[in-house]
Amino acid sequence: MGRWAVALCTLMTVIACATAPRPTPPPRTPPAAPSPTPEPSPPPAPTPVPTVPPPAPLPASHTEAPLIRVLLDRAEGSVSIPQPGRAYRVSWDGGAVWVWGPLELTAARGSQWQVGAYRDAGAAEAEAARVAAALGGLAEIDRASSEDGMYRVRIRWHDPEPSDPAGDLERLGFPDAFAVSGTAGVRIEGAGGPVEHRGELVLDPQGEWPTVVGGRSYRGRLRLRASGSDLLVINELNLESYLRGVLPAEMGPAQFPQLEALKAQAVAARTYAVAHLGDHDDEGYDLCATPACQVYKGVGVEHRLSDRAVEETAGLIAAFDGQPIDAMYTSTCGGHTEDAALLFPDRAQPYLTGVACAWERPLVLHGTATGEAFDDVDEAAFRQHLTSRILDLPRVSATPQQVLDRVTSRCNGASVNLGPTPSAVRFADDLLAAAGIEGSEVLVRRAGAQRLVALADLFDVPLEPPPPVGWERGWHLQAALAVLELQGVVTRDRGEAVPRPDGVGIFPTRAAASEPLPDPVPLYRRWSRRYGEAPAVEVAPGTTLERYRDGDRVVAVVAVQSGGGGEADRRSAWRSWRRDRDWQELARALEVPDLARLEVTRRGRSGRVVGFGAVGASGTRRDFEGFPIRRSLDIPENLFTFHVLTRSDGGRVVRFLGRGWGHGVGLCQNGSYGLARAGRTFDAILQTYYSGITIERWDWSGIDESAARP
């Protein structure tokens, strides 16, 4: 094709562009012009080969909430969507085309030059045609556009652009051309040809499968826009659907399996999102997907329990004076949250004041005297004690024959006579017969005590192998309790201590409701693997309890650990931390080269450092306040103390010892979990950490969604 033919084709393209916007074709080899029809019908496409299964269907409530735009990635290079054969509708202001996966998304770089500005649209179109003819199709022409009543004709070169664009334009008859700016567009490479556009592109996937970006799956659609040399990948979806990908990422249901705690987190996350809609409108999104906003990981982390929390609180927010609050939250508060005014002065609010991650009102369990008081014994001795009480035998002097006789009567097994000198092997075999456990396939491969120990281990029943000497002085009692548990005569279950109208109850694991405990009850306490009998035990709600029952009779309750809001926070894996910083590295980070002294100048009500100073030997000084202290020192929290150590080589190290994890403002996730275990509802949890708030159903009609979102 000759140069004039190319110019003619280019002229026709310019005229079309002046009347209907469309994605910019690739440089030098533009494809056929896409249809500008707003709602094109997809042509036949290859059969989609989804890489992930379809997600669970969304509840009807998800159609009522507003859309939210979440920044997934700010990519310097390309971003892939690896779903072959998948159809996508690509739309922009005034046009749309179809592409098929797999897709490659990039920011298309180039420079933009203006060659003329006109008040008359016809004159601008004529100039655009002249530019196209002069350049012979080597550059792309923007359609004439109206800005303040002027129509400007601009061109853009793709990489690689000419070495002397100003000189080239002058030689072609455009001496007044000037560079407007470096510019970028969005380019989509996929089956069916590339699509390129200098504005925002909207990518709508077809079908019920989520879209895979960066190894994660997301509901909704994608918005693509260039920011400088970066490509912004933005996920736009319904707010309630978004929360299903936030809640497990912020407060995993496996780690925090309490519905009321998850509901509190759902309301906090929803409120935070509503309060921060439009925060980044200048770049086309509302929130990021990182801890800088709140973590969002899409479909792959959705969980039925957190989904339930989102659904049961649909539309609910925390409000103060009728407006959504700035619902800040933290992982582990270290015992007390802090005033936002001291850490984030620009976010100070009356509802963001520090509160204690308080212990709930303790529950008191009363014990009964069993006739054998003891303290600090191991598990074997404790189970011997229980067996003697269940079988009504003396713990020390009970003989193997007496044990067999009692087990026989309780289990309706075979009567056995051990004889004058029974062995451990013989006793174990006879004990299984007395309990009615014979002929099990599991037992055939082993003999005697080994058979019994193996069977107990299979069903998670505690039983140690018999000692080589003197086994009858206690092991026979442990073995008897094991077979009683195997036969279901004695049951052992775990649960949590909960308050009940009739006193203290236990909420067994996997049970649907709590159950009452006798008062008083044979009571024991356990720490590590040591046991002791207790006349009374004061426990926080949520304390782990072990309950032993002989039929309907409770024969023992063991308090294993404490719980409650404060205790859950105290026992968090992120409660305590240590960081060592080299003195010289710290001096450089603080920008005090001759660093001589570090000092805490102010602490908040929680004990957090809200004022910190670095003093140089020459008298120079830098002061830090609030949350930036944490960032400057590169430590997990502002709740810390420190001391200076000297290394063997004479160098110094600053050792920071701290509590808590996060910023320490607002709702404490570990504390809310403890409060939920203690029986608090989600609204009570939220009102514990956010002072003076109400829980309201938000009117989504008050959300002003941008008209620019198609």
Side-chain angles (χ1 to χ4, degrees), residues 72-429:
L72 302 180
D73 195 3
R74 185 185 294 270
E76 294 182 356
S78 63
V79 175
S80 299
I81 299 180
Q83 291 170 290
R86 180 87 177 274
Y88 302 86
R89 182 180 182 271
V90 182
S91 60
W92 61 97
D93 186 19
V97 295
W98 289 87
V99 297
W100 294 269
L103 304 182
E104 200 74 14
L105 318 175
T106 56
R109 299 172 180 83
S111 62
Q112 190 175 37
W113 290 71
Q114 182 167 310
V115 299
Y118 305 87
R119 293 195 177 277
D120 180 71
E125 292 173 5
E127 180 71 349
R130 188 172 77 90
V131 173
L135 295 177
L138 297 179
E140 296 172 356
I141 316 298
D142 272 336
R143 71 180 180 92
S145 59
S146 176
E147 297 177 8
D148 301 326
M150 300 294 289
Y151 291 84
R152 293 171 169 82
V153 180
R154 294 174 176 174
I155 67 170
R156 183 168 73 100
W157 271 285
H158 291 282
D159 292 333
E161 66 180 56
S163 59
D164 183 21
D168 289 350
L169 289 170
E170 183 176 2
R171 286 189 290 274
L172 292 170
F174 306 101
D176 297 326
F178 61 92
V180 177
S181 63
T183 186
V186 178
R187 184 179 178 87
I188 300 176
E189 293 274 2
V195 178
E196 189 171 320
H197 187 57
R198 283 181 278 286
E200 185 180 72
L201 289 178
V202 180
L203 192 67
D204 275 298
Q206 302 303 298
E208 59 186 352
W209 300 280
T211 302
V212 178
V213 182
R216 298 188 185 278
S217 306
Y218 299 97
R219 302 179 185 272
R221 60 185 179 180
L222 299 180
R223 289 182 172 273
L224 310 171
R225 60 165 51 199
S227 177
S229 61
D230 296 336
L231 174 68
L232 305 188
V233 182
I234 300 164
N235 184 201
E236 183 178 60
L237 73 167
N238 177 278
L239 174 60
E240 299 297 316
S241 301
Y242 158 74
L243 292 174
R244 295 174 68 169
V246 170
L247 203 54
E250 285 285 0
M251 195 172 181
Q255 184 181 0
F256 302 101
Q258 285 288 334
L259 180 61
E260 293 301 310
L262 295 174
K263 288 164 70 173
Q265 179 65 47
V267 174
R270 182 182 296 108
T271 307
Y272 185 92
V274 171
H276 291 274
L277 283 174
D279 273 8
H280 304 275
D281 254 347
D282 57 330
E283 290 197 283
Y285 65 94
D286 299 304
L287 297 172
C288 58
T290 71
C293 303
Q294 52 188 7
V295 181
Y296 168 60
K297 294 184 178 182
V299 176
V301 298
E302 292 179 4
H303 187 281
R304 60 178 180 82
L305 188 59
S306 52
D307 285 354
R308 180 181 169 187
V310 172
E311 182 60 20
E312 292 187 8
T313 63
L316 297 181
I317 65 163
F320 187 84
D321 286 344
Q323 295 298 314
I325 70 169
D326 184 9
M328 301 179 70
Y329 51 87
T330 193
S331 166
T332 306
C333 69
H336 204 293
T337 63
E338 188 54 83
D339 297 354
L342 297 178
L343 293 172
F344 305 93
D346 58 335
R347 301 174 75 171
Q349 295 290 345
Y351 52 80
L352 290 178
T353 55
V355 298
C357 199
W359 294 70
E360 287 296 291
R361 179 179 61 84
L363 306 174
V364 180
L365 293 168
H366 299 99
T368 59
T370 64
E372 186 187 350
F374 58 87
D375 193 22
D376 196 22
V377 302
D378 61 16
E379 186 174 32
F382 170 68
R383 287 179 64 83
Q384 292 168 28
H385 165 75
L386 284 188
T387 309
S388 68
R389 291 190 59 244
I390 292 169
L391 298 181
D392 193 22
L393 291 170
R395 184 175 71 87
V396 176
S397 60
T399 67
Q401 186 64 59
Q402 289 175 319
V403 171
L404 280 179
D405 292 341
R406 297 296 174 89
V407 171
T408 300
S409 65
R410 298 297 303 275
C411 300
N412 298 316
S415 296
V416 178
N417 187 353
L418 283 176
T421 57
S423 66
V425 173
R426 171 71 185 276
F427 174 80
D429 287 338

Side-chain angles (χ1 to χ4, degrees), residues 325-627:
I325 70 169
D326 184 9
M328 301 179 70
Y329 51 87
T330 193
S331 166
T332 306
C333 69
H336 204 293
T337 63
E338 188 54 83
D339 297 354
L342 297 178
L343 293 172
F344 305 93
D346 58 335
R347 301 174 75 171
Q349 295 290 345
Y351 52 80
L352 290 178
T353 55
V355 298
C357 199
W359 294 70
E360 287 296 291
R361 179 179 61 84
L363 306 174
V364 180
L365 293 168
H366 299 99
T368 59
T370 64
E372 186 187 350
F374 58 87
D375 193 22
D376 196 22
V377 302
D378 61 16
E379 186 174 32
F382 170 68
R383 287 179 64 83
Q384 292 168 28
H385 165 75
L386 284 188
T387 309
S388 68
R389 291 190 59 244
I390 292 169
L391 298 181
D392 193 22
L393 291 170
R395 184 175 71 87
V396 176
S397 60
T399 67
Q401 186 64 59
Q402 289 175 319
V403 171
L404 280 179
D405 292 341
R406 297 296 174 89
V407 171
T408 300
S409 65
R410 298 297 303 275
C411 300
N412 298 316
S415 296
V416 178
N417 187 353
L418 283 176
T421 57
S423 66
V425 173
R426 171 71 185 276
F427 174 80
D429 287 338
D430 290 344
L431 181 62
L432 290 169
I437 306 176
E438 292 185 283
S440 171
E441 183 181 355
V442 177
L443 305 179
V444 172
R445 304 182 187 92
R446 298 177 184 264
Q450 289 185 339
R451 298 169 65 192
L452 181 53
V453 172
L455 186 63
D457 182 67
L458 183 65
F459 290 95
D460 197 29
V461 174
L463 181 62
E464 299 177 352
V469 179
W471 65 269
E472 72 279 0
R473 294 183 61 84
W475 186 82
H476 59 303
L477 291 172
Q478 301 174 57
L481 183 56
V483 299
L484 292 173
E485 287 190 49
L486 289 170
Q487 285 294 71
V489 175
V490 174
T491 58
R492 173 173 52 96
D493 52 13
R494 290 172 67 93
E496 296 179 347
V498 295
R500 287 176 52 94
D502 53 356
V504 182
I506 182 173
F507 204 122
T509 304
R510 295 185 295 273
S514 66
E515 301 171 6
L517 289 174
D519 186 19
V521 64
L523 185 62
Y524 307 86
R525 53 191 175 90
R526 171 184 156 189
W527 61 102
S528 184
R529 297 185 66 85
R530 310 298 293 183
Y531 292 77
E533 189 174 13
V537 173
E538 188 176 271
V539 300
T543 295
T544 299
L545 303 178
E546 285 185 345
R547 176 179 60 180
Y548 290 81
R549 289 185 293 182
D550 181 7
D552 294 331
R553 180 172 67 104
V554 178
V555 295
V557 170
V558 183
V560 179
Q561 64 182 23
S562 298
E567 177 65 1
D569 178 77
R570 188 178 71 82
R571 292 182 178 272
S572 165
W574 301 278
R575 165 78 175 190
S576 302
W577 50 267
R578 187 185 82 181
R579 293 289 187 275
D580 290 347
R581 298 291 311 278
D582 179 81
W583 184 270
Q584 295 301 324
E585 290 181 358
L586 195 58
R588 289 191 291 271
L590 299 178
E591 299 180 3
V592 182
D594 60 342
L595 182 65
R597 185 175 80 256
L598 301 171
E599 59 184 28
V600 173
T601 59
R602 187 185 177 196
R603 291 184 182 270
R605 71 169 74 195
S606 69
R608 284 173 171 80
V609 177
V610 297
F612 191 80
V615 183
S618 60
T620 58
R621 181 185 182 97
R622 287 199 69 200
D623 287 294
F624 304 84
E625 294 185 353
F627 186 71

